Amino acid sequence: MIVLSELWFVLVAVLFIGFFFLEGFDFGVGMSVRLLARDDVERRIMINTIGPFWDANEVWLITAGGAIFAAFPHWYATMFSGYYIPFVFVLIALIGRGVAFEFRGKVDSRKWAKTWDWVIFFGSLLPPFLFGVLFSSILRGMPIDKNMNLSAGFSDFVNVYSVTGGITVTLLCLLHGALFLTLKTTSEIRKRARGFAGRLIWVVLASLTAFVSLSAFETDLFTVRGNITLPLVGLIVASYGLAVFFISKKRDGWSFAMTGAGIALTIGMIFTALFPRVMVSSIQSAYDLTVYNASSGDYSMKVMTIVAVSLLPFVIGYQIWSYYVFRKRVDEKDLTY
């Protein structure tokens, strides 16, 4: 019988999948502002495609952090204290990005807008890269002692495997964002985004191959739960293979769905490989943090479960409604930001 701590681990995984699926295209569009747009009007069109959604998409990350804090306080304490500096950079990037969306159109100055465009670019690039580094290093294992304290050196955070993970997550988001632009824009931007996605997907496949290959040597991704993670890798490959096919056929909706499925399966595979661990100790397996030794008490878990089950349908319903209301394509006649 599944226990509440296991249920909350699944919930945290679902929240991160939702975050990377939704905020993934959000980050990708933010990076595309400097990579794909040719003038200020095109940049404004791109920003307006995510204008109604980007702040609601970030709620998934805040909720995931809150769920870890409430359900797994030892996981929260170890991870947030150990990853303090990377999380500060993530926070600065997200704040700067949000401010840039609101401020870039307030002054009629090309220099002003260009400055905020660069803030949007780096504010969209840094979070997925740092999250990729974070998840890769957690999979690889960090020096966690018997008191659940994480005392890591520079090479524990930054190494070939973690940097490859960071680059891979960033590229996945960039591709997802380019395909979102094909759904929300018209004419030249749409064609350019589709062409860019058609070239970028081969780079994404190469990066994914490198990450999976390194995972076989650097982690126990395929040994602890290989009966599940190996089929998931097959599904990820199939998703991106289908994305290549649909991009070539100009089936934008299906292409976007396939890259979204690829992101969801990748995050799902990471959490599957971790379970029942939430953080792997590189010192010895006895010091691993698990859903059992890092969780809250039974009473807290019961109360949180009742609250979550009661509120979650409203949150999901609101997001579906907002995407339905702002479903039409954006052009130069409909600019707010």
Side-chain angles (χ1 to χ4, degrees):
M1 187 179 78
I2 189 168
V3 298
L4 288 179
S5 59
E6 294 171 347
L7 177 66
W8 275 88
F9 179 79
V10 174
L11 180 60
V12 170
V14 170
L15 289 169
F16 273 108
I17 288 172
F19 170 71
F20 280 103
F21 184 97
L22 297 173
E23 192 78 343
F25 71 72
D26 201 325
F27 287 142
V29 172
M31 286 183 267
S32 298
V33 167
R34 292 303 314 178
L35 298 176
L36 278 178
R38 290 180 177 170
D39 56 38
D40 190 58
V41 174
E42 290 190 354
R43 292 188 186 94
R44 291 191 66 189
I45 291 173
M46 289 184 182
I47 292 171
N48 276 269
T49 62
I50 56 173
F53 313 121
W54 67 268
D55 46 358
N57 293 343
E58 289 182 1
V59 169
W60 288 78
L61 176 63
I62 296 169
T63 308
I68 294 174
F69 172 75
F72 303 103
H74 297 299
W75 180 12
Y76 183 91
T78 301
M79 184 170 69
F80 278 77
S81 59
Y83 287 88
Y84 184 78
I85 294 176
F87 279 133
V88 167
F89 280 106
V90 168
L91 191 60
I92 291 173
L94 291 177
I95 291 173
R97 183 169 174 268
V99 172
F101 284 142
E102 300 296 336
F103 275 43
R104 79 174 300 281
K106 301 298 182 185
V107 176
D108 187 16
S109 161
R110 181 69 202 104
K111 187 177 179 182
W112 172 269
K114 188 176 180 180
T115 301
W116 289 117
D117 288 342
W118 279 113
V119 175
I120 291 172
F121 175 78
F122 286 109
S124 302
L125 184 147
L126 272 178
F129 176 77
L130 291 173
F131 277 121
V133 170
L134 182 150
F135 277 110
S136 301
S137 59
I138 286 178
L139 271 177
R140 186 172 180 261
M142 296 293 278
I144 300 170
D145 64 21
K146 63 180 179 181
N147 297 316
M148 300 183 181
N149 293 319
L150 196 164
S151 303
F154 181 76
S155 60
D156 293 306
F157 293 106
V158 181
N159 49 68
V160 173
Y161 181 63
S162 65
V163 172
T164 303
I167 292 172
T168 301
V169 173
T170 306
L171 290 173
L172 292 177
C173 293
L174 181 58
L175 175 64
H176 200 39
L179 290 171
F180 182 74
L181 287 174
T182 66
L183 295 176
K184 293 291 291 180
T185 58
T186 59
S187 62
E188 279 304 311
I189 300 179
R190 186 185 182 193
K191 292 178 185 174
R192 209 179 307 142
R194 188 187 292 132
F196 179 68
R199 297 186 297 275
L200 180 64
I201 195 165
W202 298 107
V203 182
V204 169
L205 287 171
S207 184
L208 268 173
T209 303
F211 178 71
V212 171
S213 302
L214 285 172
S215 297
F217 297 100
E218 297 281 347
T219 73
D220 55 12
L221 192 72
F222 304 120
T223 54
V224 174
R225 297 191 176 277
N227 58 334
I228 302 176
T229 52
L230 283 172
L232 285 175
V233 170
L235 289 174
I236 293 167
V237 172
S239 298
Y240 284 98
L242 286 170
V244 171
F245 173 76
F246 287 124
I247 290 172
S248 68
K249 298 296 180 183
K250 300 181 181 179
R251 302 289 296 273
D252 299 328
W254 281 106
S255 306
F256 179 75
M258 289 302 104
T259 56
I263 289 176
L265 288 166
T266 302
I267 302 301
M269 182 184 68
I270 290 172
F271 275 87
T272 301
L274 278 174
F275 184 80
R277 303 162 299 178
V278 292
M279 292 191 77
V280 178
S281 171
S282 59
I283 298 175
Q284 59 175 285
S285 59
Y287 300 157
D288 290 346
L289 270 66
T290 70
V291 295
Y292 309 113
N293 66 16
S295 67
S296 296
D298 288 342
Y299 178 76
S300 298
M301 300 290 267
K302 287 177 183 175
V303 172
M304 288 189 302
T305 303
I306 294 170
V307 173
V309 170
S310 303
L311 296 180
L312 200 57
F314 294 99
V315 176
I316 294 174
Y318 167 76
Q319 283 229 304
I320 293 172
W321 176 78
S322 66
Y323 277 92
Y324 176 76
V325 170
F326 297 103
R327 64 188 181 281
K328 72 174 188 176
R329 294 181 186 273
V330 179
D331 56 29
E332 64 276 7
K333 300 173 186 173
D334 188 24
L335 300 179
T336 303
Y337 290 88

